[in-house]
Amino acid sequence: MKLRTNVSANVKNKLSSTLKSWLPILQSGASELEETLGEFSKENPYIEVQSQISTDFSSQKKKREANTPKRGSSLDVIERFCIEEKSLEEELLDQINPPLFPTKISQEIAKSIIESIDEEGYFVGDYAKIATTHQVEIREVEKIRERFAYLDPPGIAARDLIESFHFQLENMDVEPHIWESAKKILSDLANHINFKDIPYYKEAMRVIASFKNPPALDYCEKEAAIIPDILVLQEANNIEVQINDKYYPSIEIQTYNKEGKEKLKDDFVKTKIKEARDLVDALEMRKATLYKIGLMIVEYQYDFFMGGEIKPMKLKDLAEEFNHAPSTISRAISNKFLECARGIFPLKNFFATALDEDMANTTIKDFVADLIKNENKQKPLSDNKILQLIEEKFNIKIVRRTITKYRAQLNIASSSERKKLYKMSY
């Protein structure tokens, strides 16, 4: 199957000059494009940027309003809840009231404790500093912090993971005998297997397994929604590449005034209108560039879209095709995403650095991740052993520190740390 198409010299020249003039448009991801165009419109009174994202949201909202009851419906409540979601700090401040915090000084100390909670929900403050600020004993600060065990989210303001679990157990409605067993297990959670003969061991472990880790998990910053630039649609053995222009902003050139009369075209006006038309061209060239990149990715990585692995693909391959510098192509794929049947992927994933002519580092990373996923929990694989298995399977030579680097990129602990984690797991 041949997907690559030749670009005429005229189109190439226009592509090169336009994108060189409006490079920020090429660099911007789909979610940033509207903001980038907005900056141009600030300097040009003849440009009006029409948002497709907000238009799409408005149309969807109108559809919902037409098909659902008015105010007070359950869907309306859910929508308002999602939009008006409280921050962790706001949630905690709303709970700093009697009877847990009956006096003004206890409330002020509690507020200082809230200011000393990190993004995961743990207390990282200085007792002495808080005590000095409020002119109380350190023990008084500690006593007030311990009352956070009865606040939501459970486990908040603990000093570490184990104390967070104690807080969550304290705040949980469970049978007393299960509560007692869970308390014992938490005294040495790393060696919980030593408690397997106590009554209700399994029930207690199920309770512990339900605890949130970290305690502020529900309030951790949500990942921004990813809007893919390129869509790869598959049906049987047919593959089609499309640009996801559903969310593309559009540009209108305002050449008429409010009375509907064409504005006088002096030199300033002519210059600005030309810039506006160049901007429209730049936006179209951006689409053409990404479409061509999508075609080339599908051609080079066809096996991947059929369920195989990513193969080596270098930026210079695209640079030669477009007659651009590799740095320009690097900007073109930065912050861009491709959606296909296998998920959403950054474009840069398809340009893996090759270890040799036939093997990409992404393939090695996938192999490392698979090895560790299936390793013996009693005897985790060392980096040296992983290195040996890689060299045997792929017939290549790499150094051990490369394995360490790949582990770090995959967020995988060392063999000794994994052994401890396996012991703690249930």
Side-chain angles (χ1 to χ4, degrees), residues 381-396:
L381 296 169
S382 66
D383 285 357
N384 283 329
K385 182 60 178 176
I386 294 173
L387 176 64
Q388 178 187 337
L389 293 171
I390 289 173
E391 291 180 342
E392 289 174 358
K393 179 173 175 63
F394 299 106
N395 193 28
I396 59 173

Side-chain angles (χ1 to χ4, degrees), residues 18 57 141 194 292 301 305 317 343 406 411:
T18 305
F57 175 78
V141 178
N194 295 337
K292 183 66 180 297
Q301 306 289 357
F305 294 103
D317 295 333
Y406 287 171
N411 197 27

Side-chain angles (χ1 to χ4, degrees), residues 389-416:
L389 293 171
I390 289 173
E391 291 180 342
E392 289 174 358
K393 179 173 175 63
F394 299 106
N395 193 28
I396 59 173
K397 287 290 181 183
I398 56 177
V399 294
R400 188 181 64 81
R401 65 174 176 269
T402 301
I403 306 302
T404 305
K405 180 181 75 173
Y406 287 171
R407 271 199 305 97
Q409 292 172 350
L410 293 167
N411 197 27
I412 294 173
S414 65
S415 57
S416 59

